[in-house]
Structure formats: structure tokens, C-alpha cells
Amino acid sequence: MICMVQWVPCYPDLQEAVLKAIEGAIALSTASQQKIDLCSLIQKDLCVLQKIVIWRLINRQGSSCQNHSVCIYSVYPGANWNMMDSNASLQQKVIQRKIIHIDFDAFFASIEIRDNPRLSGKAVAVGGASDRRGVIATCNYEARRFGVHSAMSSAHAMRLCPELKIIPPRFSVYREASSEAHAIFQQYTDLIEPLSLDEAYLDVTGTHLCRGSATLIAEEIRQKIFQKLNVTVSAGVATNKFLAKIASDWNKPNGLFVITPEQVDDFIFDLPVKKIHGVGRVTSEKLHKKGIKTCGQLRQYSILELSRWFGSFGERLWELSRGQDDREVQTSRRRKSLSVEHTYDKDLAGLEDITAQVIPLLEELQERYQRIEKEYEVHKHFVKVKFADFTQTTLEESLPATGENVKEHFTQLLIRAWERGGRPVRLLGLGVRLLDLREERALEQLELFEKKIMGLV
């Protein structure tokens, strides 16, 4: 495999230092026979050489420097600069990533219509029964024209669309269809990151299939899935995950949209900020109050200003408004949290009813955590309370330093969350934030590597 890199703004006089870091990472990867992922460390620790390079630029000159140096994001065992012309310029040594985002069109509903053609042309949703406080999991495009959408209560969906056909979910069938789609993905690459049953990222950077064209690969995948499963998918092709996911939604349903490297700047400039992943209603309203509705307008502000307004998310906004996203396709997705929740047939009237639900919810959560406890460590507890009027609140805290046990802590969190509304409750949830023990061990190894690079050990 090869050494994968990505352009970032950087001073020319630091190019040599960056290249030495890359060579050191290659040596470490070859010696350990493990992939060295510097991306996660870059995001967590400003002391890493590559992050210092970016941070110095930001603090000195904002975004004025462009196209100078290169920042590594991962190294694979056997990576070797000699695979390329040793006299090539830095620009020629850069390998542009080719990322495809595949997204099924109304997946669950499409499967149900496929298996029952009499539903074709009708408004169809998959979800719980309207008389048992069910919720819509997904719906087809005919239903969406009436305003029906996922996470809506089934009763409300029926009021919007009285002719709506709500089908109980058949997850075993959906999983089987998803597995068949993944078998098709694997014909083109092993670098597949499933996001859910109905969407995935594919990194096809190194493939020679379809003349190395990610666009042709995406179109072939779409055709094969339709021939095999008789349902449609949409695809987005771009140089990173952020852009590829936006692209897959651009021509839905049953569409393909490509953002070439040359088109990125113009495309992002006019992109509404609400399209940025992580920009929800509150952040969107805050941006709009400042007169920021497009990424082009967002670029007018420095990373320091955005960080002052939005905290750590400010740096992410700065990067995404320029189309920058160094996240790699992760073949093994790691958890950030684990949670359980339950919607009750009858509203929970008060605190006594609510606190009585802590034990059954906690038992379910603990049972699920036991399956992964060797890989993760809990560092926060959180709760979710959804009131009868569908408003909801969440509350989370670090683990108590006192002797308070887990049940007591969750109970107190639920009480405090409920007190924010003080109304009957239809749903309760308990959850934990997780530290990835495997990642922590990798960070320790990379910190040692950084010290060697900097000559500290």
C-alpha cells in the first residue's frame, strides 16, 4: 500500500520537516506492521508536528497562504516514497483521495415496496403503529410530499397523510439487503466505512478498476445494486467524506453527483451553512443572526473569531467552509457512546413513575456495555427526557468523584432533566460516553513517535 497525504496550508520552509515526519511515520509503520493514523492525534493534540505547522499558519496569517506543503493523515505498512519519482515535486507526490458516499433512497420503505408491488405509487412509511405511540423510521418520497419525515410520531404522520401505509419494520430483511450491497462494494475496495444499514463511505483511491475513475465506479455500483436488489441508491463522489456526503444528497433520489477537485472552491462558496454536518437549528440561527448564510460568508471570519463564538466547533466550521476534511474512511467504526431508551404506552405522570424506570433501563444498558467493556471505558453519563408535547432535553455529566453509585447518579440526572419541563413524559433514555481504549494505546505510541521526531527522546 502507499503513503496517503493531503494538502494543507503551510510555510514552504517547513516542508522539509514535514517530509521527515512522513519518512519517520513510514519507518515506524514498517517496523510495527501497523497502520499509523496521525489524523486522530492531530485532532486531539496541538503539540503534534503536523498540527503545529497548521496552527502557526492560522495564528500568523489566517487563511492567506495556499498550496504550499503537505500534511500526512495516515501511513500504511510498506508505504514508500520510492513508489513515486524521487525527483517529483511535492505537488506531484500528493495522492488525491477519491471518496464515494453511497446512500439508499428511502431504504426501508423501498424494500417494503419491492416485496409488495401493490404499494408502488402510494405513500408508504416504516415505523410503529400510530395507536401505540409509534415513530416513523423512514418513508418514501410520496409520503414526504405531505410533510411526513423520519422521527415523526406515527399519529402525526397519519394526520398529515391519512392514506399513509405504515409498515412494521423487518430488520432482518434490511440487514440482508445491506449485506448484499456491501458484497458489491467489496468488488471495488476493502476500505468501506458503514454508517448505518443504508449508507457507507468507500475509499477507492488506489483502485485501477474502471480506469481508476471514482465516477465510473460509483455508477457501476448503482447499477449493480439495482440489478441485484431492485432498489435504487444515490451516490456522491468527491475528494473527502464531507463533500461526498453532501454530493450524494444533491441529485436524490436515484442520482449521482460529482465534485471534482477543481470545482470544490466554487461549490463550497455558495453552499448554505445549514448543509454543514453538525450545524443544527441553534447553530444555524446563531450564524444567520450574524449575517452568515453561506460558506462564502463564513470564510470572512478568522478561526479565532469562530472559536470564540462556537468553541471547539469553530475550528471545524473554518475547515469545512473551505471544503477541508481530513477524516479517513474507517473500516472499523469505533463507538463514542452507548445508550438505551424506551417510549412508554402511557405518559409517566411524575417523578415517582420516572425514577421507577431507572433500574430496568440501567440493566439493559449494563448488559449492552458488558459486550464491549474490554474495548471502552465510561467517562460520562447522560440522560434524555422527551415530554408528552414532544419537546425534549438531555443532560450529561462526568462520572461523580464522590462515592455516588451509578444508579444514584442516573436517577439524579433524570430528576434534574425532568425539572426543566416538569410535565408528563413519553420517553426516557440513559447513556454513557466512551473512551476508546485501543485509541488511547495508539495515542501513547504516537506521542512517543512525536518526541522522537522532535528530538526529545
Side-chain angles (χ1 to χ4, degrees), residues 29-43:
S29 176
T30 301
S32 64
Q33 283 300 297
Q34 294 181 346
K35 184 179 75 169
I36 303 302
D37 177 13
L38 297 182
C39 178
S40 59
L41 192 59
I42 287 170
Q43 293 171 343

Side-chain angles (χ1 to χ4, degrees), residues 146-260:
F146 291 86
V148 179
H149 57 77
S150 60
M152 174 182 286
S153 76
S154 298
H156 184 48
M158 289 298 295
R159 288 194 292 270
L160 292 175
C161 180
E163 302 302 317
L164 182 67
K165 305 293 184 183
I166 300 180
I167 313 296
R170 298 182 298 155
F171 288 109
S172 61
V173 177
Y174 310 148
R175 280 191 289 268
E176 182 180 353
S178 180
S179 296
E180 290 182 281
H182 278 256
I184 294 173
F185 301 159
Q186 289 164 1
Q187 296 174 18
Y188 298 90
T189 179
D190 292 327
L191 297 177
I192 303 166
E193 179 181 341
L195 300 178
S196 59
L197 289 177
D198 62 346
E199 60 177 319
Y201 288 113
L202 286 67
D203 187 335
V204 295
T205 305
T207 184
H208 297 292
L209 298 171
C210 298
R211 304 194 302 276
S213 168
T215 303
L216 294 178
I217 290 173
E219 186 55 43
E220 274 198 10
I221 288 173
R222 287 180 0 91
Q223 293 174 2
K224 288 184 177 181
I225 287 177
F226 182 73
Q227 292 167 359
K228 178 74 174 178
L229 300 175
N230 198 26
V231 294
T232 63
V233 300
S234 294
V237 180
T239 56
N240 60 50
K241 291 164 70 171
F242 165 62
L243 293 171
K245 187 170 176 65
I246 290 176
S248 69
D249 193 51
W250 213 254
N251 283 337
K252 264 186 169 290
N254 194 22
L256 170 65
F257 190 75
V258 180
I259 306 172
T260 66

Side-chain angles (χ1 to χ4, degrees), residues 385-393 420-421 423-427:
V385 176
K386 182 179 287 187
F387 298 102
D389 61 0
F390 284 87
T391 60
Q392 66 180 46
T393 186
R420 292 174 174 177
R423 299 186 298 278
V425 168
R426 64 177 278 114
L427 177 147

Side-chain angles (χ1 to χ4, degrees), residues 41-311:
L41 192 59
I42 287 170
Q43 293 171 343
K44 289 192 173 187
D45 192 345
L46 295 182
C47 294
V48 178
L49 174 62
Q50 283 74 25
K51 190 64 175 186
I52 290 174
V53 171
I54 302 172
W55 199 250
R56 283 177 180 167
L57 169 69
I58 290 168
N59 281 283
R60 291 180 187 175
Q61 292 192 358
S63 59
S64 59
C65 291
Q66 296 292 330
N67 297 333
H68 285 311
S69 190
V70 66
C71 179
I72 188 165
Y73 76 89
S74 60
V75 174
Y76 296 83
N80 189 345
W81 280 114
N82 294 330
M83 291 180 177
M84 300 169 240
D85 182 0
S86 60
N87 295 318
S89 67
L90 277 173
Q91 286 87 345
Q92 291 170 324
K93 285 184 176 181
V94 172
I95 302 169
Q96 194 79 56
R97 283 193 288 177
K98 300 175 183 178
I99 308 297
I100 301 172
H101 181 255
I102 300 289
D103 192 6
F104 279 84
D105 300 317
F107 182 41
F108 297 173
S110 295
I111 293 293
E112 296 302 335
I113 295 169
R114 178 198 70 179
D115 292 350
N116 183 2
R118 290 177 296 178
L119 296 173
S120 182
K122 298 179 181 179
V124 175
V126 173
S130 59
D131 60 350
R132 293 186 59 82
R133 315 190 72 168
V135 174
I136 301 298
T138 190
C139 61
N140 66 353
Y141 291 90
E142 286 82 356
R144 294 179 193 186
R145 296 192 189 106
F146 291 86
V148 179
H149 57 77
S150 60
M152 174 182 286
S153 76
S154 298
H156 184 48
M158 289 298 295
R159 288 194 292 270
L160 292 175
C161 180
E163 302 302 317
L164 182 67
K165 305 293 184 183
I166 300 180
I167 313 296
R170 298 182 298 155
F171 288 109
S172 61
V173 177
Y174 310 148
R175 280 191 289 268
E176 182 180 353
S178 180
S179 296
E180 290 182 281
H182 278 256
I184 294 173
F185 301 159
Q186 289 164 1
Q187 296 174 18
Y188 298 90
T189 179
D190 292 327
L191 297 177
I192 303 166
E193 179 181 341
L195 300 178
S196 59
L197 289 177
D198 62 346
E199 60 177 319
Y201 288 113
L202 286 67
D203 187 335
V204 295
T205 305
T207 184
H208 297 292
L209 298 171
C210 298
R211 304 194 302 276
S213 168
T215 303
L216 294 178
I217 290 173
E219 186 55 43
E220 274 198 10
I221 288 173
R222 287 180 0 91
Q223 293 174 2
K224 288 184 177 181
I225 287 177
F226 182 73
Q227 292 167 359
K228 178 74 174 178
L229 300 175
N230 198 26
V231 294
T232 63
V233 300
S234 294
V237 180
T239 56
N240 60 50
K241 291 164 70 171
F242 165 62
L243 293 171
K245 187 170 176 65
I246 290 176
S248 69
D249 193 51
W250 213 254
N251 283 337
K252 264 186 169 290
N254 194 22
L256 170 65
F257 190 75
V258 180
I259 306 172
T260 66
E262 297 77 17
Q263 295 169 336
V264 169
D265 196 58
D266 289 340
F267 178 85
I268 289 292
F269 192 86
D270 295 323
L271 188 73
V273 290
K274 64 182 181 181
K275 290 282 189 180
I276 296 177
H277 180 68
V279 175
R281 180 179 58 83
V282 174
T283 304
S284 182
E285 289 176 356
K286 193 172 181 180
L287 286 166
H288 286 182
K289 287 180 180 178
K290 296 181 180 296
I292 304 172
K293 295 185 177 180
T294 68
C295 287
Q297 293 169 330
L298 187 58
R299 290 185 193 179
Q300 298 173 17
Y301 297 90
S302 71
I303 193 169
L304 297 179
E305 289 174 300
L306 294 175
S307 296
R308 192 180 307 122
W309 296 337
F310 300 102

